[in-house]
Amino acid sequence: MADLLSLSSFLFSIITFFFFYFLSVHGDNSTQSSITQINYDLYHSSRNLMDEIKEMVHRHSDRLSMEKVKAGNKGYSAEIAVVTYCKGKKDSAENPKLRILLSFGQHGRELITSELAFRIMSILSEEKHLPGMDEASLNSILDKVVIKVVPMENINGRKLVEGGDLCERRNGRGVDLNRNWSVDWGKKEKDYDPYEENPGIAPFSEPESQIMRKLAVSFEPHIWVNVHSGMEALFMPYDHKNTTPDGLPLQQMKSLLEEVNQLHCQKRCMIGSGGGSVGYFAHGTATDFMYDVVRVPMAFTFEIYGDVTAPSSDCFKMFNPTDLASYNSVLDDWSAAFFTIFKLGPHQLGEIQSKASVVKLDKLVSIDEYLDGYLMERRNRYGKKMEVLELGMQEIRAYYRLFLLSSVLLLCMFCSRISKTKCSRPIVSAISL
C-alpha cells in the first residue's frame, strides 16, 4: 500500500511538472505572438539600408558623397555615415547656399525615420519623384542648398533592436543619445526612467554624440532637424523648459511649422516647444544644443509617426507603421514636408538674419568644440593628408592650455611677491628722532 501511495505521489508530481511547463511555454508563445515583429518585407535591415545608400551615392557621385566617421571612448566605439547633397557649384562666400543638417535613427527602435532618410535621398538623386512637384521648380530649389543627411545615427542601438530587443532606444552601451548633450545635461525629473533616459556619465561621453557635435560645429547649418517617431509633432526649442525663443526667431520658426502642418500634416501635428507640448522636460537634447550653443537659426525636432492604440509592450507597432499603406503614406507626406522646408527655409532665414541681434558671449562655442569641428571639416576636404595637421593642432591646444596655466601661476606669484614686499617694508616713524 505504501509503495502504491509513493508511486501515485511520484506520478502526480510528474504530471504537475509537465502541466505547468506547458502553461509557461504556451503563455510565452502567446505573449510573443501578440508583439509585432519587424516586417522585413517593408523595412530594410540596417546593413541592407546602408549598402543601398552606398550604391546610390556611387550612382550619383555628381551630387552625392558619403563619408564614415568613427569615434571611441573607454572601449566603446561607433561609426556614423554622413551623406552630403550638393548640386552644381559648391557652397562658398561667392556662392552661398542654405546649409541643412538632418539626423535620423537617433533611437534604435524608430526604424521608420531611417526609411524616410532613404526616401529623401532617393528624391534628391532623382531616382524617385515627389507627386505634384514640378521638376524645374524642384531643381531651382536644390541648386540653392547643401544638405547633410545622417541616415542612422545610432546604428549600434539599431542592431540591438534587430536582435530582438524591440523597445531599445539607447545606444550600444545603454545611453540615450538625446540626453547626452551639454545643455541642461543630467537633470532628472520626478518621472525619470533610468532605462529610457540614461544621460551617460558626462555630456558627450558617447562617441555618437561626439561625432554629431563635431559635424554641427564644422558645417554650421542654418537648419537642423532631428527626426523621431512616437507621435506626430513639429517641435522647436526648448526641450528642457516650457518656453520658446523670443521675438523674430520664434515667429519665423512657428510660421514655417504652421505651413508644414497645414500642407502635409492636415493640421493634426502638435506645434510648440518640446518641453511645453509633450508633458515632460527632456534635458541634454540635441536640438537645444544646436539652438543655444551652435546657434543654428532654425532648429527643430520632428515626430513623424505614432500609434496611440498600441500597448506599451508592443514597441515596434507603437513607433513604426506596420502595413504598406501607412508606411507609404508616412514616407510620402513627410518627404514632401522636408522639400517644403527646403523651399521656404531661405525666405524665413533671410528675415531672421537681416534682423539678427548681437551674439551673446555666453552662447559662443568653446575653443575645444571649434577646433574639433575645424579639424573634421579639413579632414573631409583633404583626407589623410590632414593627419599631420591634426596632430599639430592637438599640440597647439595642449600648449595653449599650458600657456594659460603658466600665466595664472605667474600672476599668483607676482601678486604674492608684491604682498610680501609690502609686509616686509620697514616702518618709518612719523616722529623725528
Side-chain angles (χ1 to χ4, degrees), residues 331-391:
L331 297 188
D332 289 343
D333 289 344
W334 284 98
S335 57
F338 273 93
F339 281 87
T340 295
I341 290 172
F342 302 160
K343 178 182 178 180
L344 300 180
H347 172 70
Q348 304 285 17
L349 185 68
E351 291 194 25
I352 293 176
Q353 290 187 328
S354 65
K355 301 177 182 179
S357 58
V358 178
V359 176
K360 295 181 180 180
L361 292 177
D362 63 344
K363 293 185 179 181
L364 291 176
V365 177
S366 72
I367 186 170
D368 282 348
E369 289 168 350
Y370 181 81
L371 286 176
D372 283 342
Y374 175 86
L375 290 173
M376 184 176 181
E377 180 66 16
R378 301 288 85 72
R379 183 163 52 247
N380 293 349
R381 294 181 183 178
Y382 306 115
K384 293 183 179 179
K385 293 181 180 180
M386 292 307 300
E387 291 178 359
V388 175
L389 177 58
E390 181 168 354
L391 290 173

Side-chain angles (χ1 to χ4, degrees), residues 11-257:
L11 290 174
F12 179 76
S13 300
I14 294 294
I15 292 170
T16 303
F17 170 79
F18 280 106
F19 175 74
F20 282 107
Y21 175 76
F22 172 79
L23 283 180
S24 65
V25 172
H26 180 74
D28 288 345
N29 288 339
S30 176
T31 303
Q32 187 71 15
S33 64
S34 67
I35 294 177
T36 308
Q37 302 298 309
I38 300 173
N39 181 359
Y40 286 110
D41 291 331
L42 283 181
Y43 291 86
H44 296 81
S45 69
S46 56
R47 183 173 182 175
N48 288 343
L49 181 65
M50 298 314 300
D51 285 346
E52 289 203 32
I53 290 172
K54 184 178 179 180
E55 292 170 4
M56 181 192 298
V57 170
H58 181 72
R59 290 193 299 270
H60 303 281
S61 57
D62 60 320
R63 66 190 71 185
L64 294 176
S65 61
M66 184 171 78
E67 61 173 324
K68 292 185 177 181
V69 187
K70 297 180 181 180
N73 182 21
K74 297 184 178 179
Y76 174 74
S77 61
E79 179 180 84
I80 291 179
V82 183
V83 178
T84 302
Y85 172 87
C86 184
K87 186 178 180 183
K89 294 181 179 180
K90 292 186 177 181
D91 181 37
S92 64
E94 297 76 24
N95 184 46
K97 295 192 174 190
L98 182 73
R99 297 186 298 276
I100 301 169
L101 180 56
L102 310 176
S103 177
F104 303 82
Q106 190 180 48
H107 290 150
R109 65 193 179 190
E110 299 166 10
L111 279 70
I112 188 62
T113 65
S114 294
E115 298 292 325
L116 176 60
F118 184 65
R119 173 64 66 88
I120 290 171
M121 286 184 283
S122 298
I123 297 170
L124 291 173
S125 67
E126 298 184 13
E127 291 190 358
K128 287 188 178 293
H129 300 279
L130 276 174
M133 173 67 76
D134 176 62
E135 193 167 327
S137 174
L138 180 62
N139 287 332
S140 175
I141 294 168
L142 296 179
D143 283 339
K144 301 172 185 176
V145 300
V146 179
I147 306 169
K148 285 189 181 289
V149 180
V150 176
M152 198 177 300
E153 181 181 329
N154 182 13
I155 193 165
N156 292 338
R158 169 66 177 265
K159 288 178 179 177
L160 293 176
V161 173
E162 292 174 346
D165 193 352
L166 298 173
C167 290
E168 184 60 81
R169 66 184 253 147
R170 305 168 300 171
N171 73 348
R173 64 174 171 189
V175 174
D176 183 347
L177 296 178
N178 206 29
R179 301 293 185 273
N180 192 233
W181 297 70
S182 60
V183 174
D184 216 44
W185 175 87
K187 289 190 178 179
K188 298 176 176 62
E189 297 296 320
K190 292 180 179 179
D191 59 351
Y192 168 72
D193 182 347
Y195 179 83
E196 288 275 301
E197 299 181 274
N198 177 14
I201 60 174
F204 303 109
S205 62
E206 303 312 295
E208 297 93 343
S209 304
Q210 295 169 14
I211 293 170
M212 293 301 298
R213 177 185 62 177
K214 291 178 183 180
L215 176 60
V217 171
S218 65
F219 185 51
E220 297 181 322
H222 299 106
I223 296 176
W224 152 266
V225 187
N226 191 10
V227 184
H228 288 270
S229 63
M231 60 189 304
E232 290 183 303
L234 302 162
F235 292 138
M236 65 184 83
Y238 291 96
D239 295 323
H240 70 279
K241 54 186 176 181
N242 187 15
T243 59
T244 54
D246 297 326
L248 187 63
L250 168 63
Q251 297 171 22
Q252 297 306 109
M253 283 192 282
K254 188 175 181 181
S255 173
L256 180 59
L257 295 183

Side-chain angles (χ1 to χ4, degrees), residues 266-330:
Q266 291 74 52
K267 295 186 178 181
R268 67 178 179 270
C269 288
M270 188 182 303
I271 293 179
S273 71
S277 302
V278 177
Y280 64 88
F281 295 149
H283 306 278
T285 67
T287 294
D288 283 359
F289 181 87
M290 294 295 176
Y291 188 78
D292 256 8
V293 180
V294 184
R295 299 188 61 80
V296 178
M298 308 185 82
F300 304 115
T301 300
F302 287 0
E303 297 272 354
I304 65 171
Y305 176 83
D307 186 344
V308 296
T309 67
S312 59
S313 59
D314 195 357
C315 290
F316 184 78
K317 186 178 181 183
M318 182 182 294
F319 293 96
N320 306 280
T322 56
D323 62 90
L324 181 61
S326 299
Y327 174 89
N328 284 330
S329 176
V330 170

